Amino acid sequence: MIIRSSMYYHWIVIQVIKEVAIPHPRIDSEDLKVTLNYYNDKPETAINAVSFYIYDFSYLYTTMMKFFTLLFIFVSFFGFSQNKGELLNNYENHFGQMEKNYENKKEDSLLFHCRKAIFYAKELKDPALEGKVYIYVGSYYYDQNESSSLAYENYHRAYELYSKAKDTLRIAKTLFRMAILEKNVQNHTKAKESLFRSLELLKEQKPDFLHGIYNDLGIIYDHLGNLNQSILYYKKSLALRLESGNKELTIQSLNNIATTYKDHKDYRNAEKYFVQAFKHPQSELEKYPEEYARIIDNRAHLHFLQNKNSEVLAEYSKALKLRESVQNHEGAVMSHLHLAEYYRYHHDYKMSDAFAEKAFKSSYQMGTFRNSLLALKILRDNAESSGNSSKALDYGNQYIQLQQKVYDKEMQTEEKFADIRYASGQKEKENKSLRLQNKEQQLLTEKRKKYLYIAIGLFGVIALAGTGYIQYSRMEQKQKEQNAEKEIMELLIRQQEVSEKAKYLEQERISNDLHDSIAGKLSGLMLKLDTIAVSSPLEIKKKLDPAVENVDAILQELHSIVHDMNEQQVTEVSYPLLIRELAGSQLTEKTAFSFFIDESINWDTISNRIKLAFYYIIQQGVRNITEHSEATKSIIEIRSKENTVFLTISDNGIGMDNATTGMGLPGMKKRTEELGGIVELQSVRNKGTTITIKIPIT
């Protein structure tokens, strides 16, 4: 056997045979190698010389193909690994530059490297790496403004990417970051929802930020006026911080619990937790000057509220000095407000005004307008008490104007947050729609192929193919019917979910409007009435005082209503709720309605065909009761017994004369019999009608 090819190819063949060392089972490997070495410079002669060894050329060919295939795979994998390593290296370089620019606050450079890092993350097809970039940018904007819509937008983008990567831990942490921003714009309901979603994702995990989630839930429930829930979550946070050994956060938690008790006038428990905080050694407390100043200031305020004034001024002054030494400007504002309150109580209005004006100026510059409102209230009260009515009225007007500004700003920011959430939802819907269209196109293409193959088959075996096609069409039609029934049920449930969600959103909007707008305006009205009363003659003042008290009572009742509304949640839509809503929406007020569903029924195991049949039968039955029966009472029951589900619709109306031929009963019967069930009808003149449907569920 002679193999003819180029000299170069033959030389390669020789080297491969020598190096691979996987000879044919019938070839002596040492003899073969000696022969090949001897003819190394004459490859074609060498191959002819060893032809008596390789009389099975197919084996040689297979061996060489294996070798070159392995070589190709190795080179390809090595090249891909090198490319991936280079992309990852570029990503890490740009991310490192982002960190440097973050520290130096160079926004343009930070955003440039951000775009580059995102590009390489996309090339790597790693949404988690991309999400990490957005988190970093969001944190940059958050450090500049703790209510930043840009921070929220970047966090939300990271949330979407982590969701795509199915990284539950990072999703939970990002929801926590978003909740902090939602809390900062006073949307406590949305913040609470984000925090609970974060907890649901964590399940039994205990990441290092879990204590922060509990701490923020404590803050939110405090704002919503729920002391018990607030303390519950503060204590959960405290337990985790004690377990971690973090002294600074432990002191913070003790202060939070004590201050919450103080604000709710539970002074005994407040004192108890302040004592626990001060049990830490002085040297340890001084390591954390901001927290140390907070507990000094808040405990002094507790003693002020208890009229234990001997050390209050000294403690207030000590806290202020500490805050100023570490440039804690927001803390210094609180110290100024407490000192203004202290001097007002002791009728030193000049000193009180001085501290209130400092608090107003600093808080206004920092944009913490709620503290500015507190300062204006003290200034207004001081002017009133000093008999300066015009000044009091001026401060009152400033208070109302600033309160409206705060409300408008927070609403605008929250609207931006809502727009971000809405845009994200719309984008996801569009992506789902595109995926659905692609899938439909793919299915259409596959169907066309099927029909083509069927046509080819029909050419040879027309009878057999015809029978098969008819059977196929029936199965496809049945599948379509089942899919249609499933889609109808899903559509009905989604429609009800949309209705429930709309109710909830409207209630949330009304709650926010009541709290932020109407409550604010009532507060302003009360201040104006009070101001007028102070500067008016005694006779007019006596008439105005009850009006001020009435406005205050209305304000308190409004806060209670808002709190109750905030505690409500969106109802999860289920099949029982769907049909209950169906029946309730069609019956008139003159017909009393009772509804019972056996709780032991697992609706997930009931076919969509049965559920859809019941839906239409109940719809028709309720329509009959409303339009024809003149009933004052109606009952709908669904029960399950021995693998059979029973639907009963009854009323106490006028009954039926010709019950079997009209009023939608043939349709009910047809639907029931298609599912292997039966319909039973009992109707007595002027005593009512009972329809019972029995359908097997096996």
Side-chain angles (χ1 to χ4, degrees):
M1 175 181 178
I2 299 175
I3 305 172
R4 299 188 178 276
S5 184
S6 68
M7 293 292 290
Y8 180 69
Y9 175 75
H10 289 311
W11 184 84
I12 291 175
V13 171
I14 292 171
Q15 304 309 313
V16 169
I17 297 172
K18 286 166 65 179
E19 297 301 326
V20 171
I22 311 175
H24 190 280
R26 287 168 286 182
I27 297 176
D28 186 289
S29 59
E30 291 302 318
D31 288 348
L32 176 61
K33 285 187 178 181
V34 168
T35 304
L36 290 171
N37 285 330
Y38 180 79
Y39 290 103
N40 194 50
D41 296 326
K42 302 174 182 179
E44 188 168 2
T45 308
I47 292 173
N48 288 327
V50 300
S51 61
F52 65 95
Y53 285 111
I54 313 173
Y55 54 85
D56 189 348
F57 179 73
S58 62
Y59 182 79
L60 174 62
Y61 176 79
T62 303
T63 303
M64 288 190 60
M65 289 303 297
K66 285 181 181 178
F67 172 77
F68 283 116
T69 301
L70 289 172
L71 182 64
F72 175 76
I73 292 170
F74 172 76
V75 171
S76 299
F77 178 76
F78 181 72
F80 174 75
S81 298
Q82 273 193 320
N83 186 44
K84 185 176 181 181
E86 186 179 347
L87 288 171
L88 188 59
N89 188 50
N90 287 335
Y91 170 86
E92 289 173 348
N93 286 340
H94 284 290
F95 196 88
Q97 290 298 319
M98 280 177 59
E99 290 176 319
K100 290 180 182 177
N101 288 296
Y102 183 103
E103 293 169 3
N104 299 328
K105 302 196 181 301
K106 294 181 178 178
E107 185 172 334
D108 291 342
S109 295
L110 182 140
L111 294 177
F112 169 78
H113 291 291
C114 158
R115 287 190 292 272
K116 288 291 187 181
I118 288 171
F119 170 79
Y120 288 115
K122 285 180 176 177
E123 287 292 304
L124 287 162
K125 295 181 174 58
D126 192 333
L129 289 179
E130 194 178 346
K132 186 179 175 184
V133 177
Y134 283 106
I135 286 291
Y136 220 79
V137 177
S139 298
Y140 172 79
Y141 286 121
Y142 176 82
D143 287 347
Q144 295 179 37
N145 176 6
E146 293 185 357
S147 302
S148 169
S149 59
L150 286 172
Y152 193 82
E153 184 177 357
N154 280 279
Y155 286 156
H156 200 279
R157 181 65 182 131
Y159 164 76
E160 292 173 329
L161 290 161
Y162 288 146
S163 299
K164 187 177 178 182
K166 298 180 181 179
D167 191 333
T168 54
L169 190 62
R170 286 197 172 104
I171 297 169
K173 190 166 186 177
T174 306
L175 283 168
F176 172 44
R177 295 175 191 272
M178 291 163 62
I180 292 171
L181 283 159
E182 289 159 352
K183 176 197 69 177
N184 291 347
V185 297
Q186 306 302 308
N187 191 345
H188 297 115
T189 304
K190 182 62 184 172
K192 184 172 70 170
E193 179 188 328
S194 297
L195 291 172
F196 278 123
R197 283 170 60 201
S198 181
L199 287 176
E200 286 172 7
L201 287 167
L202 291 175
K203 295 179 181 176
E204 300 300 319
Q205 297 181 78
K206 287 188 177 181
D208 57 3
F209 59 90
L210 181 59
H211 67 86
I213 294 177
Y214 288 141
N215 188 67
D216 268 32
L217 280 169
I219 294 169
I220 288 165
Y221 275 112
D222 184 25
H223 277 284
L224 294 173
N226 192 330
L227 174 63
N228 292 334
Q229 287 294 99
S230 176
I231 296 298
L232 171 68
Y233 284 106
Y234 274 143
K235 286 183 176 178
K236 285 187 176 186
S237 179
L238 174 61
L240 289 173
R241 289 172 173 183
L242 284 167
E243 186 180 321
S244 71
N246 190 313
K247 300 297 182 183
E248 182 178 13
L249 293 177
T250 299
I251 295 165
Q252 183 191 89
S253 285
L254 290 168
N255 177 75
N256 288 344
I257 295 170
T259 304
T260 302
Y261 276 127
K262 169 180 72 71
D263 293 342
H264 287 267
K265 296 182 172 55
D266 187 345
Y267 299 144
R268 184 178 63 82
N269 275 317
E271 186 68 46
K272 172 184 169 184
Y273 281 93
F274 277 130
V275 168
Q276 284 190 45
F278 279 101
K279 280 183 179 178
H280 290 81
Q282 179 81 10
S283 58
E284 196 168 84
L285 291 170
E286 288 174 349
K287 290 178 184 177
Y288 318 111
E290 288 191 15
E291 293 304 326
Y292 187 28
R294 282 181 72 213
I295 59 174
I296 293 171
D297 186 57
N298 284 325
R299 186 180 67 170
H301 190 242
L302 170 66
H303 292 160
F304 169 75
L305 294 173
Q306 293 174 304
N307 288 321
K308 298 177 181 178
N309 287 320
S310 59
E311 301 293 330
V312 169
L313 184 58
E315 294 291 287
Y316 276 162
S317 301
K318 182 179 179 181
L320 176 59
K321 187 176 179 181
L322 262 175
R323 283 165 164 168
E324 289 177 339
S325 70
V326 293
Q327 296 185 337
N328 180 6
H329 302 301
E330 193 166 345
V333 168
M334 290 309 303
S335 288
H336 289 143
L337 287 170
H338 282 160
L339 283 162
E341 184 184 31
Y342 173 84
Y343 281 114
R344 169 173 165 69
Y345 177 79
H346 289 284
H347 306 294
D348 188 343
Y349 300 124
K350 185 177 179 181
M351 288 294 292
S352 179
D353 280 351
F355 282 109
E357 284 170 0
K358 284 182 180 179
F360 176 77
K361 184 178 178 182
S362 298
S363 60
Y364 199 88
Q365 287 174 348
M366 289 187 291
T368 55
F369 297 126
R370 291 191 175 272
N371 287 334
S372 303
L373 288 171
L374 293 174
L376 280 174
K377 189 176 185 305
I378 293 172
L379 288 166
R380 175 258 178 198
D381 290 344
N382 287 345
E384 254 187 21
S385 300
S386 302
N388 193 337
S389 301
S390 61
K391 202 171 185 180
L393 191 60
D394 182 49
Y395 282 130
N397 287 330
Q398 285 186 57
Y399 181 94
I400 293 167
Q401 290 170 10
L402 181 58
Q403 188 179 51
Q404 186 62 43
K405 179 180 178 180
V406 171
Y407 170 72
D408 291 343
K409 184 180 178 183
E410 288 174 351
M411 286 300 294
Q412 286 169 7
T413 306
E414 172 49 30
E415 281 175 9
K416 288 180 182 177
F417 287 8
D419 288 344
I420 291 165
R421 293 192 294 268
Y422 176 77
S424 170
Q426 288 296 105
K427 187 177 179 182
E428 180 60 25
K429 284 181 182 177
E430 289 171 6
N431 289 339
K432 282 184 179 178
S433 176
L434 286 172
R435 287 196 295 270
L436 184 61
Q437 288 175 16
N438 291 337
K439 191 172 182 180
E440 287 174 351
Q441 187 63 38
Q442 186 179 357
L443 289 171
L444 183 61
T445 303
E446 289 176 359
K447 275 188 177 181
R448 285 173 178 169
K449 287 180 180 179
K450 282 182 183 178
Y451 293 144
L452 178 62
Y453 297 150
I454 290 170
I456 293 169
L458 281 170
F459 185 76
V461 283
I462 185 69
L464 180 63
T467 305
Y469 178 73
I470 292 168
Q471 185 65 24
Y472 167 79
S473 298
R474 286 177 179 172
M475 290 174 63
E476 187 178 41
Q477 184 61 31
K478 186 176 180 181
Q479 183 64 40
K480 283 182 179 179
E481 289 174 0
Q482 291 175 351
N483 290 341
E485 289 166 350
K486 182 179 179 183
E487 287 174 7
I488 291 169
M489 282 307 306
E490 290 174 350
L491 181 62
L492 290 169
I493 289 174
R494 281 201 302 272
Q495 184 179 2
Q496 189 63 29
E497 285 175 344
V498 169
S499 175
E500 290 291 324
K501 183 69 174 176
K503 289 178 187 176
Y504 172 78
L505 290 174
E506 180 63 13
Q507 180 171 293
E508 183 181 10
R509 184 189 66 76
I510 293 170
S511 169
N512 288 336
D513 286 349
L514 287 173
H515 181 273
D516 296 323
S517 179
I518 297 175
K521 288 175 181 178
L522 282 173
S523 297
L525 175 61
M526 190 169 69
L527 283 171
K528 276 193 173 182
L529 288 173
D530 202 12
T531 301
I532 294 168
V534 169
S535 59
S536 300
L538 183 61
E539 187 175 328
I540 295 174
K541 186 176 183 301
K542 287 181 179 179
K543 292 181 180 179
L544 286 174
D545 282 345
V548 174
E549 291 173 1
N550 286 338
V551 173
D552 186 44
I554 292 168
L555 194 58
Q556 295 304 318
E557 185 176 351
L558 186 61
H559 283 312
S560 176
I561 291 169
V562 169
H563 171 66
D564 291 342
M565 290 176 75
N566 281 336
E567 288 300 303
Q568 297 182 20
Q569 298 293 325
V570 180
T571 305
E572 182 180 351
V573 176
S574 61
Y575 180 76
L577 177 61
L578 179 68
I579 56 177
R580 185 189 294 272
E581 287 289 329
L582 168 70
S585 64
Q586 291 192 345
L587 286 167
T588 60
E589 293 180 357
K590 68 180 183 180
T591 306
F593 169 57
S594 297
F595 194 90
F596 172 81
I597 293 184
D598 188 350
E599 293 182 357
S600 66
I601 298 175
N602 183 357
W603 288 102
D604 291 335
T605 63
I606 305 294
S607 73
N608 285 324
R609 296 191 70 195
I610 295 176
K611 288 191 278 191
L612 195 58
F614 275 10
Y615 183 93
Y616 286 128
I617 290 169
I618 290 170
Q619 188 178 51
Q620 182 61 53
V622 172
R623 187 182 296 123
N624 290 343
I625 293 169
T626 304
E627 296 177 0
H628 306 294
S629 74
E630 299 178 13
T632 58
K633 292 181 182 178
S634 65
I635 300 172
I636 297 176
E637 295 182 352
I638 301 178
R639 301 180 185 274
S640 175
K641 184 179 179 183
E642 296 178 354
N643 294 325
T644 302
V645 63
F646 298 82
L647 165 63
T648 304
I649 305 172
S650 60
D651 63 71
N652 64 346
I654 60 174
M656 300 183 185
D657 288 330
N658 191 5
T660 59
T661 60
M663 300 186 182
L665 291 170
M668 294 184 189
K669 187 175 180 182
K670 182 182 177 184
R671 288 181 183 279
T672 304
E673 289 176 350
E674 283 176 350
L675 296 168
I678 58 172
V679 179
E680 294 178 356
L681 175 70
Q682 293 180 338
S683 184
V684 179
R685 188 67 176 169
N686 295 324
K687 289 189 177 180
T689 301
T690 299
I691 299 172
T692 303
I693 311 293
K694 302 177 184 177
I695 298 177
I697 57 176
T698 55

